PDB file of all heavy atoms in Angstrom:
ATOM      1  N   PHE A   8      -1.619 -27.716  10.684  1.00 97.00           N
ATOM      2  CA  PHE A   8      -1.685 -26.423  10.001  1.00 97.00           C
ATOM      3  C   PHE A   8      -2.926 -26.353   9.118  1.00 97.00           C
ATOM      4  O   PHE A   8      -3.668 -25.359   9.138  1.00 97.00           O
ATOM      5  CB  PHE A   8      -0.433 -26.204   9.169  1.00 97.00           C
ATOM      6  CG  PHE A   8      -0.560 -25.085   8.170  1.00 97.00           C
ATOM      7  CD1 PHE A   8      -0.538 -23.761   8.571  1.00 97.00           C
ATOM      8  CD2 PHE A   8      -0.735 -25.362   6.815  1.00 97.00           C
ATOM      9  CE1 PHE A   8      -0.682 -22.727   7.658  1.00 97.00           C
ATOM     10  CE2 PHE A   8      -0.885 -24.334   5.892  1.00 97.00           C
ATOM     11  CZ  PHE A   8      -0.853 -23.015   6.320  1.00 97.00           C
ATOM     12  N   LEU A   9      -3.179 -27.410   8.334  1.00 96.00           N
ATOM     13  CA  LEU A   9      -4.345 -27.411   7.447  1.00 96.00           C
ATOM     14  C   LEU A   9      -5.646 -27.349   8.235  1.00 96.00           C
ATOM     15  O   LEU A   9      -6.586 -26.641   7.851  1.00 96.00           O
ATOM     16  CB  LEU A   9      -4.326 -28.648   6.560  1.00 96.00           C
ATOM     17  CG  LEU A   9      -3.303 -28.673   5.422  1.00 96.00           C
ATOM     18  CD1 LEU A   9      -3.392 -29.990   4.666  1.00 96.00           C
ATOM     19  CD2 LEU A   9      -3.525 -27.493   4.477  1.00 96.00           C
ATOM     20  N   ASP A  10      -5.704 -28.092   9.346  1.00 96.00           N
ATOM     21  CA  ASP A  10      -6.912 -28.063  10.171  1.00 96.00           C
ATOM     22  C   ASP A  10      -7.177 -26.652  10.675  1.00 96.00           C
ATOM     23  O   ASP A  10      -8.315 -26.175  10.670  1.00 96.00           O
ATOM     24  CB  ASP A  10      -6.772 -29.020  11.351  1.00 96.00           C
ATOM     25  CG  ASP A  10      -6.759 -30.481  10.920  1.00 96.00           C
ATOM     26  OD1 ASP A  10      -7.186 -30.764   9.780  1.00 96.00           O
ATOM     27  OD2 ASP A  10      -6.303 -31.329  11.719  1.00 96.00           O
ATOM     28  N   LEU A  11      -6.126 -25.982  11.113  1.00 97.00           N
ATOM     29  CA  LEU A  11      -6.260 -24.614  11.599  1.00 97.00           C
ATOM     30  C   LEU A  11      -6.635 -23.669  10.468  1.00 97.00           C
ATOM     31  O   LEU A  11      -7.506 -22.805  10.614  1.00 97.00           O
ATOM     32  CB  LEU A  11      -4.944 -24.165  12.248  1.00 97.00           C
ATOM     33  CG  LEU A  11      -4.920 -22.765  12.859  1.00 97.00           C
ATOM     34  CD1 LEU A  11      -5.944 -22.662  13.987  1.00 97.00           C
ATOM     35  CD2 LEU A  11      -3.523 -22.437  13.360  1.00 97.00           C
ATOM     36  N   LEU A  12      -5.988 -23.848   9.324  1.00 96.00           N
ATOM     37  CA  LEU A  12      -6.253 -22.997   8.167  1.00 96.00           C
ATOM     38  C   LEU A  12      -7.709 -23.078   7.737  1.00 96.00           C
ATOM     39  O   LEU A  12      -8.368 -22.071   7.454  1.00 96.00           O
ATOM     40  CB  LEU A  12      -5.330 -23.398   7.018  1.00 96.00           C
ATOM     41  CG  LEU A  12      -5.486 -22.654   5.693  1.00 96.00           C
ATOM     42  CD1 LEU A  12      -5.139 -21.176   5.861  1.00 96.00           C
ATOM     43  CD2 LEU A  12      -4.608 -23.292   4.610  1.00 96.00           C
ATOM     44  N   HIS A  13      -8.242 -24.303   7.704  1.00 95.00           N
ATOM     45  CA  HIS A  13      -9.591 -24.510   7.187  1.00 95.00           C
ATOM     46  C   HIS A  13     -10.687 -24.077   8.151  1.00 95.00           C
ATOM     47  O   HIS A  13     -11.861 -24.032   7.772  1.00 95.00           O
ATOM     48  CB  HIS A  13      -9.778 -25.975   6.803  1.00 95.00           C
ATOM     49  CG  HIS A  13      -8.912 -26.379   5.644  1.00 95.00           C
ATOM     50  ND1 HIS A  13      -8.576 -27.703   5.384  1.00 95.00           N
ATOM     51  CD2 HIS A  13      -8.284 -25.647   4.682  1.00 95.00           C
ATOM     52  CE1 HIS A  13      -7.797 -27.761   4.312  1.00 95.00           C
ATOM     53  NE2 HIS A  13      -7.612 -26.521   3.877  1.00 95.00           N
ATOM     54  N   THR A  14     -10.331 -23.769   9.392  1.00 95.00           N
ATOM     55  CA  THR A  14     -11.329 -23.274  10.342  1.00 95.00           C
ATOM     56  C   THR A  14     -11.454 -21.755  10.306  1.00 95.00           C
ATOM     57  O   THR A  14     -12.367 -21.201  10.934  1.00 95.00           O
ATOM     58  CB  THR A  14     -10.979 -23.692  11.779  1.00 95.00           C
ATOM     59  OG1 THR A  14      -9.722 -23.121  12.156  1.00 95.00           O
ATOM     60  CG2 THR A  14     -10.939 -25.210  11.910  1.00 95.00           C
ATOM     61  N   GLN A  15     -10.572 -21.093   9.568  1.00 93.00           N
ATOM     62  CA  GLN A  15     -10.614 -19.636   9.531  1.00 93.00           C
ATOM     63  C   GLN A  15     -11.751 -19.149   8.636  1.00 93.00           C
ATOM     64  O   GLN A  15     -12.043 -19.748   7.604  1.00 93.00           O
ATOM     65  CB  GLN A  15      -9.282 -19.074   9.030  1.00 93.00           C
ATOM     66  CG  GLN A  15      -8.068 -19.534   9.830  1.00 93.00           C
ATOM     67  CD  GLN A  15      -8.248 -19.331  11.324  1.00 93.00           C
ATOM     68  OE1 GLN A  15      -8.469 -18.204  11.775  1.00 93.00           O
ATOM     69  NE2 GLN A  15      -8.161 -20.413  12.080  1.00 93.00           N
ATOM     70  N   ARG A  16     -12.359 -18.058   9.042  1.00 89.00           N
ATOM     71  CA  ARG A  16     -13.460 -17.497   8.283  1.00 89.00           C
ATOM     72  C   ARG A  16     -13.175 -16.028   7.981  1.00 89.00           C
ATOM     73  O   ARG A  16     -12.366 -15.385   8.648  1.00 89.00           O
ATOM     74  CB  ARG A  16     -14.777 -17.613   9.065  1.00 89.00           C
ATOM     75  CG  ARG A  16     -15.222 -19.056   9.281  1.00 89.00           C
ATOM     76  CD  ARG A  16     -15.576 -19.720   7.963  1.00 89.00           C
ATOM     77  NE  ARG A  16     -15.987 -21.099   8.134  1.00 89.00           N
ATOM     78  CZ  ARG A  16     -15.174 -22.141   7.975  1.00 89.00           C
ATOM     79  NH1 ARG A  16     -13.898 -21.953   7.651  1.00 89.00           N
ATOM     80  NH2 ARG A  16     -15.627 -23.361   8.152  1.00 89.00           N
ATOM     81  N   VAL A  17     -13.822 -15.519   6.958  1.00 87.00           N
ATOM     82  CA  VAL A  17     -13.657 -14.115   6.592  1.00 87.00           C
ATOM     83  C   VAL A  17     -14.979 -13.387   6.733  1.00 87.00           C
ATOM     84  O   VAL A  17     -16.051 -13.991   6.644  1.00 87.00           O
ATOM     85  CB  VAL A  17     -13.129 -13.957   5.146  1.00 87.00           C
ATOM     86  CG1 VAL A  17     -11.749 -14.554   5.004  1.00 87.00           C
ATOM     87  CG2 VAL A  17     -14.092 -14.581   4.141  1.00 87.00           C
ATOM     88  N   TRP A  18     -14.885 -12.073   6.982  1.00 88.00           N
ATOM     89  CA  TRP A  18     -16.054 -11.193   6.994  1.00 88.00           C
ATOM     90  C   TRP A  18     -17.135 -11.684   7.956  1.00 88.00           C
ATOM     91  O   TRP A  18     -18.303 -11.832   7.593  1.00 88.00           O
ATOM     92  CB  TRP A  18     -16.636 -11.040   5.593  1.00 88.00           C
ATOM     93  CG  TRP A  18     -15.618 -10.629   4.570  1.00 88.00           C
ATOM     94  CD1 TRP A  18     -14.499  -9.887   4.774  1.00 88.00           C
ATOM     95  CD2 TRP A  18     -15.634 -10.940   3.178  1.00 88.00           C
ATOM     96  NE1 TRP A  18     -13.803  -9.703   3.602  1.00 88.00           N
ATOM     97  CE2 TRP A  18     -14.490 -10.347   2.603  1.00 88.00           C
ATOM     98  CE3 TRP A  18     -16.509 -11.647   2.360  1.00 88.00           C
ATOM     99  CZ2 TRP A  18     -14.188 -10.456   1.248  1.00 88.00           C
ATOM    100  CZ3 TRP A  18     -16.212 -11.755   1.016  1.00 88.00           C
ATOM    101  CH2 TRP A  18     -15.070 -11.172   0.459  1.00 88.00           C
ATOM    102  N   ALA A  19     -16.726 -11.908   9.194  1.00 83.00           N
ATOM    103  CA  ALA A  19     -17.688 -12.312  10.218  1.00 83.00           C
ATOM    104  C   ALA A  19     -18.395 -11.080  10.777  1.00 83.00           C
ATOM    105  O   ALA A  19     -18.627 -10.955  11.973  1.00 83.00           O
ATOM    106  CB  ALA A  19     -16.970 -13.063  11.326  1.00 83.00           C
ATOM    107  N   VAL A  20     -18.721 -10.160   9.891  1.00 85.00           N
ATOM    108  CA  VAL A  20     -19.421  -8.920  10.249  1.00 85.00           C
ATOM    109  C   VAL A  20     -20.452  -8.648   9.166  1.00 85.00           C
ATOM    110  O   VAL A  20     -20.416  -9.241   8.082  1.00 85.00           O
ATOM    111  CB  VAL A  20     -18.434  -7.724  10.345  1.00 85.00           C
ATOM    112  CG1 VAL A  20     -17.442  -7.919  11.476  1.00 85.00           C
ATOM    113  CG2 VAL A  20     -17.703  -7.515   9.029  1.00 85.00           C
ATOM    114  N   GLU A  21     -21.370  -7.748   9.461  1.00 90.00           N
ATOM    115  CA  GLU A  21     -22.331  -7.338   8.429  1.00 90.00           C
ATOM    116  C   GLU A  21     -21.622  -6.419   7.453  1.00 90.00           C
ATOM    117  O   GLU A  21     -21.065  -5.389   7.847  1.00 90.00           O
ATOM    118  CB  GLU A  21     -23.524  -6.626   9.063  1.00 90.00           C
ATOM    119  CG  GLU A  21     -24.610  -6.261   8.069  1.00 90.00           C
ATOM    120  CD  GLU A  21     -25.836  -5.670   8.733  1.00 90.00           C
ATOM    121  OE1 GLU A  21     -25.926  -5.750   9.979  1.00 90.00           O
ATOM    122  OE2 GLU A  21     -26.700  -5.128   8.007  1.00 90.00           O
ATOM    123  N   LEU A  22     -21.646  -6.770   6.193  1.00 95.00           N
ATOM    124  CA  LEU A  22     -20.909  -6.005   5.190  1.00 95.00           C
ATOM    125  C   LEU A  22     -21.782  -4.895   4.604  1.00 95.00           C
ATOM    126  O   LEU A  22     -22.988  -5.067   4.422  1.00 95.00           O
ATOM    127  CB  LEU A  22     -20.453  -6.934   4.059  1.00 95.00           C
ATOM    128  CG  LEU A  22     -19.518  -8.066   4.471  1.00 95.00           C
ATOM    129  CD1 LEU A  22     -19.182  -8.934   3.267  1.00 95.00           C
ATOM    130  CD2 LEU A  22     -18.238  -7.527   5.101  1.00 95.00           C
TER     131      LEU A  22
END
Side-chain angles (χ1 to χ4, degrees):
F8 165 74
L9 287 178
D10 292 342
L11 182 62
L12 178 64
H13 294 159
T14 62
Q15 304 309 302
R16 295 294 179 263
V17 296
W18 308 331
V20 295
E21 184 175 348
L22 299 178

